[in-house]
């Protein structure tokens, strides 16, 4: 999908420099993937303290059942 965006050239050049990608397109795609990953991680952090853990659960024993 072709999209025209007005991206701050200073930001894009800095992202090119830091990200190591060869093209602007690859840089923007990488930045979007990292943005999405970060937001998904933040959602997981919101779950801390909201889940009930079974202290009797033995993950080692469960791993041996296979």
């Amino acid at each position: 999908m072709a999209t025209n965006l007005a991206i701050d050239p200073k930001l894009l050049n800095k992202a090119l420099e830091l990200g190591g990608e060869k093209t602007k397109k690859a840089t923007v795609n990488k930045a979007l993937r990292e943005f999405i990953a970060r937001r998904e991680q933040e959602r997981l952090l919101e779950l801390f303290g909201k889940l009930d853990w079974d202290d009797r659960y033995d993950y080692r024993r469960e791993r041996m059942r296979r």
Side-chain angles (χ1 to χ4, degrees):
M1 164 182 31
T3 303
N4 292 327
L5 298 172
I7 298 175
D8 182 337
K10 289 180 183 178
L11 289 175
L12 186 55
N13 287 333
K14 188 67 173 180
L16 277 162
E17 178 185 324
L18 292 173
E21 299 296 330
K22 294 181 180 179
T23 66
K24 291 176 183 178
K25 178 181 177 180
T27 299
V28 171
N29 283 326
K30 182 177 185 177
L32 288 171
R33 283 191 299 274
E34 290 181 8
F35 176 85
I36 291 166
R38 170 77 95 183
R39 293 302 182 265
E40 288 175 343
Q41 290 171 356
E42 287 175 357
R43 287 185 194 162
L44 288 176
L45 288 175
E46 291 172 2
L47 292 176
F48 278 94
K50 294 182 181 180
L51 299 175
D52 293 328
W53 296 102
D54 184 356
D55 293 331
R56 296 170 294 155
Y57 178 72
D58 184 358
Y59 71 92
R60 291 185 197 119
R61 187 180 73 210
E62 292 297 321
R63 200 181 300 162
M64 299 298 271
R65 294 175 71 195
R66 295 179 186 196

